Amino acid sequence: MFSILYNRGLYPEESFVKVKKYGLPMLLTQDESVKSFIANVTAQLSEWLEAGKLQRIVLVIMSKATNEVLERWNFSIETDSEVVEKGVSREKSDKEIMREIQAIMRQIASSITYLPCLDEACVFDVLAYTDKDVAVPFTWIESDPKLIANPQMVKLHSFDTKIHKVDTLVSYKNDEWDEQ
């Protein structure tokens, strides 16, 4: 999430610090409210992910002034139920998984070349799509899907761990000049 927030310019460049993660230089925010929000979201998502109950995560970028949805970063998750329920082991090296994560991180960073500029103040939210039987913390609220009418869509690389396959798609609002 931090890479998307940085690359899409949601927060000032100086509010990020460079660290090495997944074998790549990455930028993490130093904004305490953002760090706290993401830490809470990540903790809950991890719980659902480990239980095999998480189907999709969507990072939504919206206009701060109008709440219009400008981008949706959709991470669809397929869980190998045999691994979760029966503890069956799948063979895939950590090196292979790391290489796939690196590829998607590079693709997210390069996405700024084809996504429209966000030339207004923006905010973000995280949507989680889970199995129906999942208990939702009281601090989380139901939301509409925050869809974009007639979006442009770009499919990014997938990656596959021993347990989960993640497909990534970014959809964004068409600029008016593109429609002429």
Side-chain angles (χ1 to χ4, degrees):
M1 277 191 247
F2 291 121
S3 279
I4 296 170
L5 298 178
Y6 174 79
N7 283 302
R8 300 307 290 140
L10 267 70
Y11 294 93
E13 190 174 330
E14 59 273 7
S15 70
F16 289 84
V17 65
K18 192 180 281 193
V19 297
K20 190 162 185 162
K21 200 168 188 165
Y22 308 113
L24 291 170
M26 301 201 39
L27 293 153
L28 299 180
T29 186
Q30 294 304 294
D31 183 303
E32 289 302 322
S33 63
V34 175
K35 280 187 353 187
S36 175
F37 174 79
I38 290 179
N40 289 333
V41 166
T42 304
Q44 183 59 62
L45 294 176
S46 294
E47 185 181 312
W48 288 332
L49 195 59
E50 288 171 17
K53 302 288 186 180
L54 187 61
Q55 300 165 1
R56 185 181 331 159
I57 302 166
V58 181
L59 175 68
V60 180
I61 298 176
M62 301 168 288
S63 163
K64 187 174 186 176
T66 65
N67 273 341
E68 178 184 20
V69 178
L70 304 173
E71 292 178 5
R72 292 180 90 247
W73 293 79
N74 187 1
F75 300 88
S76 294
I77 301 161
E78 248 179 72
T79 302
D80 186 331
S81 57
E82 203 175 18
V83 174
V84 173
E85 293 166 11
K86 300 175 185 166
V88 174
S89 178
R90 300 280 184 243
E91 293 304 314
K92 188 165 199 174
S93 73
D94 288 345
K95 190 175 181 178
E96 285 177 285
I97 295 168
M98 194 64 66
R99 201 171 22 247
E100 290 177 4
I101 292 172
Q102 287 172 344
I104 203 157
M105 296 308 293
R106 283 189 193 96
Q107 199 170 24
I108 288 170
S110 68
S111 69
I112 59 171
T113 61
Y114 57 81
L115 292 174
C117 289
L118 298 173
D119 54 2
E120 61 183 294
C122 293
V123 294
F124 76 97
D125 201 0
V126 178
L127 308 179
Y129 292 76
T130 62
D131 293 353
K132 292 187 188 317
D133 64 345
V134 167
V136 178
F138 72 93
T139 55
W140 288 56
I141 56 171
E142 282 284 326
S143 170
D144 67 273
K146 300 196 183 308
L147 298 174
I148 300 169
N150 302 314
Q152 293 278 64
M153 290 187 249
V154 178
K155 186 172 177 6
L156 304 179
H157 285 290
S158 298
F159 69 93
D160 195 349
T161 68
K162 297 172 188 170
I163 304 167
H164 305 97
K165 180 177 185 237
V166 180
D167 290 315
T168 309
L169 175 83
V170 61
S171 52
Y172 56 95
K173 183 178 177 282
N174 269 324
D175 283 339
E176 286 81 30
W177 60 268
D178 283 343
E179 296 171 8
Q180 296 175 357

